[in-house]
């Protein structure tokens, strides 16, 4: 039997009999100048077995998952044309290709299928920028006091990475991250887009604290993140004309509205905000309180706070709908990690009616029902509901 067929049938048997540990393809000589090697792991995604191919490039890794049959065909083609050698690790032996030499196995046990064993991480904790941001130590271990932050970064990347991958390639070219602070989420998004999913985009972090801007620019320079920069500016003054995605995470009170307004004005495809405090609407509720049937809720501080949060963000979503965006509002990370955990995602729908009078009526009715004279975002957009 020719070595490729022989190798593939031993690979197939190891997979079928649960002896498969991993496979590495090496000695690449194809057309893609920066590709070095591929590692292949067996994983479960939504209870379905897949082979996960990690393509190692000079400066990034790209992961692609395939059903086993499809992946095995690809591996056979790779060995025919592009890769000159391979090593298959099984629990019985390690097998080298093309020599077809069996040696003692390096691994005694097949690893548990990774997605079932532990939650899949989207942010590799060994990435150097995480050390520079003091999230991890030099071994890639997350510091105890940074665990919540790391979980938040990982969840953020899972959500936002998925949203960007759902859009046509090239749709998102410039992202503004408003109120970028220490830049944890900004760096993670940049790294993921450039080095994991190959959807490169320019990202600008906008922050009015000069010390944070300097710190982040310094790290971006050291990491050679060439299309990542931070500017000292208020959200209000930043020129967003060229952006097609806007992010504002934990920008206080009406700063979130300023950011949404900027995104809408730039006709951004994607607007993602995780609001922080909700003082403007809370003050409205307190000022216009009618002493009516809702008093039993708003007399308690905590309920008043939650009521203000729901109203503020519910109206934000409604206003975004009015401006031609479809919206999702959800808890993006458990409130045991952070209380600031609601995310609003707005996607510009080309076919959606803009300024639909029915939505305008809903905004008007909601405000009068809850005794709210105005929402700050409505003012910015000069929306007149009555
Ligand atoms: C709570 S931090 C969040 C940082 C980051 N987005 C995150 O979620 O990790 C909010 C940041 O927004 C900045 N900020 C708030 N309002 C702003 C405004 N109007 N213009 C620019 N920066 C603002 C603050 O200086 C602060 O660094």
């Amino acid at each position: 039997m020719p070595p490729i067929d022989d190798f593939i049938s031993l690979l197939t048997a190891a997979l079928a009999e649960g002896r498969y540990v991993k496979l590495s393809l090496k000695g690449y000589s194809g057309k893609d100048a920066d590709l070095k090697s591929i590692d292949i792991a067996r994983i479960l995604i939504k209870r379905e077995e897949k082979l996960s191919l990690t393509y190692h490039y000079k400066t990034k890794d790209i992961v692609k998952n395939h059903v086993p049959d499809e992946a095995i065909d690809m591996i056979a083609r790779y060995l025919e044309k592009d890769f000159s050698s391979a090593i298959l690790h099984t629990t019985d032996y390690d097998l080298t290709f093309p020599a077809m030499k069996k040696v003692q196995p390096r691994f005694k046990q097949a690893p548990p299928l990774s997605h079932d064993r532990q939650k899949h991480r989207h942010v590799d904790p060994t990435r150097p920028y995480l050390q520079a941001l003091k999230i991890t130590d030099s071994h890639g271990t997350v510091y105890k006091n940074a665990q919540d932050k790391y979980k938040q970064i990982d969840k953020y990347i899972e959500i936002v990475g998925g949203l960007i991958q759902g859009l046509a390639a090239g749709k998102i070219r410039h992202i503004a991250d408003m109120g970028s602070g220490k830049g944890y989420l900004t760096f993670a998004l940049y790294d993921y887009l450039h080095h994991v999913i190959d959807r490169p985009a320019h990202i600008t972090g906008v922050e009015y604290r000069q010390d944070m801007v300097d710190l982040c620019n310094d790290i971006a320079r050291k990491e050679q993140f060439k299309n990542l920069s931070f500017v000292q500016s208020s959200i209000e003054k930043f020129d967003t004309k060229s952006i097609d995605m806007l992010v504002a995470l934990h920008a206080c009170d009406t700063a979130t509205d300023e950011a949404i307004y900027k995104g809408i004005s730039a006709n951004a495809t994607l607007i993602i905000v995780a609001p922080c405090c909700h003082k403007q609407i809370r003050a409205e509720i307190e000022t216009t309180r009618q002493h009516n049937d809702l008093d039993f809720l708003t007399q308690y501080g905590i309920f008043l706070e939650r009521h203000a949060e729901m109203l503020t963000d519910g109206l934000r979503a409604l206003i975004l709908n009015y401006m031609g965006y479809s919206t999702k509002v959800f808890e993006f990370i458990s409130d045991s990690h952070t209380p600031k955990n609601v995310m609003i995602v707005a996607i510009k729908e080309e076919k959606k009616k803009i300024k639909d009078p029915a939505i305008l009526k809903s905004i008007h009715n909601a405000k009068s029902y809850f005794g709210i004279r105005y929402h700050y975002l409505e003012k910015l957009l000069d929306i007149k509901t009555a």
Side-chain angles (χ1 to χ4, degrees):
M1 203 188 271
I4 290 183
D5 294 353
D6 204 3
F7 188 79
I8 294 296
S9 68
L10 290 168
L11 162 67
T12 312
L15 282 165
E17 291 157 15
R19 293 182 288 102
Y20 179 87
V21 177
K22 70 170 187 165
L23 170 65
S24 302
L25 307 184
K26 296 182 189 296
Y28 181 72
S29 59
K31 289 191 189 127
D32 200 338
D34 289 339
L35 182 60
K36 302 275 168 224
S37 61
I38 305 179
D39 284 327
I40 298 139
R42 218 178 134 210
I43 59 166
L44 275 187
I45 298 178
K46 294 189 184 144
R47 299 182 187 200
E48 204 187 321
E49 184 178 338
K50 297 267 168 80
L51 287 180
S52 177
L53 279 69
T54 303
Y55 293 75
H56 298 289
Y57 288 84
K58 213 163 160 185
T59 55
K60 66 187 172 196
D61 287 346
I62 293 180
V63 178
K64 292 183 181 162
N65 302 322
H66 298 271
V67 291
D69 285 352
E70 189 179 278
I72 290 168
D73 284 350
M74 289 170 70
I75 293 164
R77 281 201 303 277
Y78 283 147
L79 289 177
E80 258 164 38
K81 268 179 69 192
D82 297 327
F83 288 86
S84 59
S85 67
I87 177 153
L88 169 66
H89 296 277
T90 74
T91 50
D92 291 350
Y93 52 77
D94 288 353
L95 176 69
T96 56
F97 175 87
M100 297 305 287
K101 196 168 154 206
K102 287 184 182 173
V103 295
Q104 283 296 316
R106 198 169 126 207
F107 304 97
K108 299 264 180 288
Q109 276 188 331
L113 295 189
S114 53
H115 283 214
D116 258 9
R117 180 176 37 126
Q118 59 181 32
K119 242 183 162 329
H120 180 64
R121 284 171 161 180
H122 297 82
V123 173
D124 176 356
T126 64
R127 300 290 295 150
Y129 74 88
L130 289 169
Q131 286 167 42
L133 292 169
K134 304 205 168 26
I135 299 282
T136 56
D137 65 17
S138 56
H139 305 290
T141 306
V142 180
Y143 288 118
K144 260 209 170 92
N145 63 1
Q147 295 279 350
D148 281 348
K149 197 79 213 170
Y150 174 77
K151 284 189 185 120
Q152 195 184 78
I153 297 170
D154 197 60
K155 192 69 194 169
Y156 171 70
I157 291 306
E158 179 186 349
I159 295 168
V160 179
L163 287 165
I164 292 178
Q165 279 182 296
L167 298 170
K171 189 90 182 155
I172 303 296
R173 286 157 290 123
H174 189 179
I175 302 168
D177 185 344
M178 301 297 207
S180 49
K182 281 198 185 142
Y184 304 113
L185 300 156
T186 331
F187 276 93
L189 182 58
Y190 181 92
D191 192 49
Y192 193 72
L193 295 182
H194 285 254
H195 302 135
V196 182
I197 60 170
D198 201 21
R199 289 285 183 100
H202 192 109
I203 305 187
T204 308
V206 179
E207 167 58 53
Y208 56 36
R209 277 188 54 182
Q210 186 69 54
D211 56 338
M212 291 191 180
V213 170
D214 293 344
L215 175 89
C216 291
N217 275 330
D218 205 32
I219 297 173
R221 221 173 1 257
K222 284 189 187 129
E223 295 299 320
Q224 298 191 347
F225 286 1
K226 294 203 174 84
N227 289 315
L228 174 62
S229 55
F230 294 82
V231 294
Q232 193 283 323
S233 166
S234 68
I235 294 172
E236 300 81 341
K237 294 217 172 101
F238 181 69
D239 179 2
T240 44
K241 253 186 246 115
S242 67
I243 64 139
D244 29 41
M245 172 171 161
L246 180 135
V247 177
L249 303 163
H250 313 127
C252 289
D253 195 22
T254 52
T256 295
D257 297 308
E258 298 281 0
I260 296 175
Y261 168 65
K262 285 282 183 179
I264 293 174
S265 309
N267 202 26
T269 300
L270 203 52
I271 299 176
I272 300 175
V273 296
C276 180
C277 39
H278 302 80
K279 294 195 193 102
Q280 187 252 320
I281 291 292
R282 186 180 166 141
E284 276 293 288
I285 299 168
E286 285 180 310
T287 312
T288 62
R289 207 193 292 258
Q290 301 283 313
H291 295 295
N292 58 21
D293 290 349
L294 289 174
D295 270 4
F296 81 100
L297 284 179
T298 53
Q299 65 177 308
Y300 305 110
I302 179 70
F303 285 167
L304 176 63
E305 187 60 44
R306 288 183 183 168
H307 184 52
E309 178 181 345
M310 285 211 335
L311 270 177
T312 307
D313 293 338
L315 282 167
R316 279 175 178 147
L318 213 46
I319 293 169
L320 279 156
N321 294 153
Y322 181 62
M323 299 309 293
Y325 286 81
S326 67
T327 47
K328 292 180 202 161
V329 179
F330 54 92
E331 186 181 78
F332 89 100
I333 185 154
S334 153
D335 61 7
S336 61
H337 300 304
T338 170
K340 302 172 192 172
N341 59 355
V342 166
M343 183 170 265
I344 304 174
V345 170
I347 301 177
K348 184 84 189 175
E349 297 283 348
E350 294 308 333
K351 289 188 193 132
K352 197 167 159 51
K353 189 169 173 181
I354 297 179
K355 301 196 175 174
D356 182 343
I359 302 178
L360 191 64
K361 193 154 183 269
S362 297
I363 299 171
H364 172 76
N365 291 349
K367 282 188 340 191
S368 38
Y369 185 78
F370 289 105
I372 290 164
R373 292 166 302 175
Y374 77 99
H375 188 295
Y376 193 74
L377 179 57
E378 193 191 1
K379 258 204 173 161
L380 291 172
L381 290 161
D382 199 21
I383 295 172
K384 299 203 171 40
T385 57

